[in-house]
Amino acid sequence: MTPNSAVPLSDLATALCVIFILLVPVAAAGLALINTGLGRSRSAAHAILASLVVISVAAVVYFVFGFSLQGIAGGPAHSATLSGHRWNLLAVQPWFMRGLKFDGSFASLQAWLGMLSVGLAALIPLGSGGDRWRLGACCASTAILAAITYPIFAHWVWGGGWLAQLGAFYGLGRGFQDAGGTAAIQVVGGFTALSIAWILGPRRGKYAVDGMPAAIPGHNVVYIVFGCILALVGWCALNAAGAILYAGVPAGSAVLIAVNTTLSAAAAMLAALVVTRVRFGKPDASLCANGWVGGLVASSAAAPFIPPAGALVVGLVAGTIVPLSVEWLDLRFAVDDPSGAVSVHAAAGLWGLLALGLLARFPDAAHAGATAAPGQWLAQIIGIATLLGFVLPVTYLLNWFLNRFLPQRVAREGERQGLDLYELGAGAYPEFLTHSDEFLQR
């Protein structure tokens, strides 16, 4: 279900979309605080500055080039004919958003939301590369994300691309659905995070000679929990704006979307609390916070199309998946992911996409209510397979190639010293390290 960009939004829908999009950066602030709090104190300033830097790089690159590949539904695009169907592959839009009227239309609001969404996606890999990812390499990797991987997949889902056409051409429900960006933002960012963690390798001291991982706790739980609260506000806005602009739902659905988003996060956090209590004897604060965000991630795709009880199911499963995935990646695959970004955004995101196919009910005027769309689950499976078979390997190869020319990991001395001093020349908490003589008795 893709809205027709030629049909104008109502004044109410336009006003609500503007408000929602203005609140989306609150989600970015939440992720930035979570990433910073889960890292070491000696890299805190670097982490928070890198968050602002990658958002800036993503916005500029998306404006210059990325939007031209994503485009809008119904816009000009490259296509190919297969089995008698004309499949939409890639948008053809001018660079620098030329010709786009910023007048509150579908196209202008989609471009604005896309600029913020790609910034959110770019924040996710910062968590997996924490304490060892060079600032210049962050910028280069973000440029790849904003110019290639994000806009191409976003076009396939939101720009009238071939994944969205699965319903019209093969009767697979309404085609691949992703109202709030679980796939285009979260899983794409999560797979980029996995690629970065693989390329950088684990932090010094993370694994012993026998391969057993050591716990390296985050330095500020207050940042982490406060970031979770901020993320809820931004996520409700992101899900609502995406549903109106990309899924064509009425503006009044914003209430249901906010309720479902909140319930999914709450259920996921409680599930993570129980899992960590059972696994470790006591609840783990950072994993509970990861569960909360995992619930937000999983809610984004289906929030407009499931009842509140369905949102509870989505959250409970997501909150169970996240801590188990963190442990599994850490122990079995030696993936050192300080913020749990891969588990939170990729693993929980994949579940959210599948949950839409299993639980979603779409408006049906013929039946005066909401009904399941036959074949929707298969459309979601095809989208998941595309993420695993295209986005992940392409993202890894592009960043691996970048690493050949621009080493992404900081020097050994920089990791020992901390990225704050090594790359910025000053720490986030100077009073912890140096003391002036103003407090000495004279």
Side-chain angles (χ1 to χ4, degrees), residues 148-429:
I148 301 174
T149 49
Y150 172 87
I152 290 177
F153 189 81
H155 174 74
W156 293 347
V157 179
W158 291 331
W162 69 273
L163 285 174
Q165 293 175 311
L166 291 172
F169 289 169
Y170 285 112
L172 300 182
R174 308 254 176 145
F176 182 75
Q177 291 290 299
D178 182 24
T182 293
I185 302 172
Q186 309 303 330
V187 179
V188 169
F191 280 164
T192 305
L194 178 58
S195 301
I196 293 301
W198 274 337
I199 291 169
L200 294 178
R203 290 169 289 178
R204 309 289 180 188
K206 174 63 179 177
Y207 291 96
V209 177
D210 61 0
M212 288 300 296
I216 304 178
H219 83 280
N220 197 317
V221 176
V222 177
Y223 285 179
I224 298 167
V225 175
F226 183 55
C228 287
I229 302 301
L230 291 179
L232 173 63
V233 177
W235 237 274
C236 288
L238 172 67
N239 289 352
I244 295 171
L245 294 175
Y246 297 132
V249 305
S253 297
V255 177
L256 173 64
I257 292 167
V259 168
N260 284 345
T261 303
T262 304
L263 285 175
S264 181
M269 192 282 295
L270 293 174
L273 186 147
V274 171
V275 170
T276 56
R277 175 68 174 81
V278 171
R279 291 287 294 153
F280 310 123
K282 294 182 180 180
D284 185 279
S286 63
L287 287 177
C288 288
N290 277 342
W292 173 276
V293 182
L296 294 175
V297 168
S299 74
S300 291
F305 307 123
I306 57 176
L312 281 176
V313 173
V314 170
L316 287 172
V317 176
T320 303
I321 288 173
V322 168
L324 296 179
S325 174
V326 168
E327 183 180 6
W328 185 60
L329 290 171
D330 201 22
L331 288 172
R332 302 293 182 183
F333 292 95
V335 175
D336 184 14
D337 181 5
S339 74
V342 179
S343 300
V344 170
H345 298 275
L350 292 175
W351 155 244
L353 295 173
L354 181 60
L356 186 150
L358 300 174
L359 303 174
R361 298 294 182 267
F362 300 95
D364 189 340
H367 295 83
T371 61
Q376 186 63 53
W377 66 273
L378 184 54
Q380 298 304 112
I381 291 291
I382 293 173
I384 290 171
T386 304
L387 287 162
L388 290 167
F390 174 80
V391 172
L392 178 57
V394 168
T395 298
Y396 178 81
L397 288 174
L398 289 174
N399 279 282
W400 177 88
F401 188 74
L402 173 65
N403 193 50
R404 302 300 95 187
F405 297 93
L406 179 66
Q408 301 209 40
R409 182 161 182 155
V410 73
R412 188 184 187 95
E413 172 61 22
E415 190 175 347
R416 186 198 65 79
Q417 188 179 23
L419 298 183
D420 287 358
L421 293 177
Y422 188 77
E423 290 216 313
L424 304 182
Y429 311 106

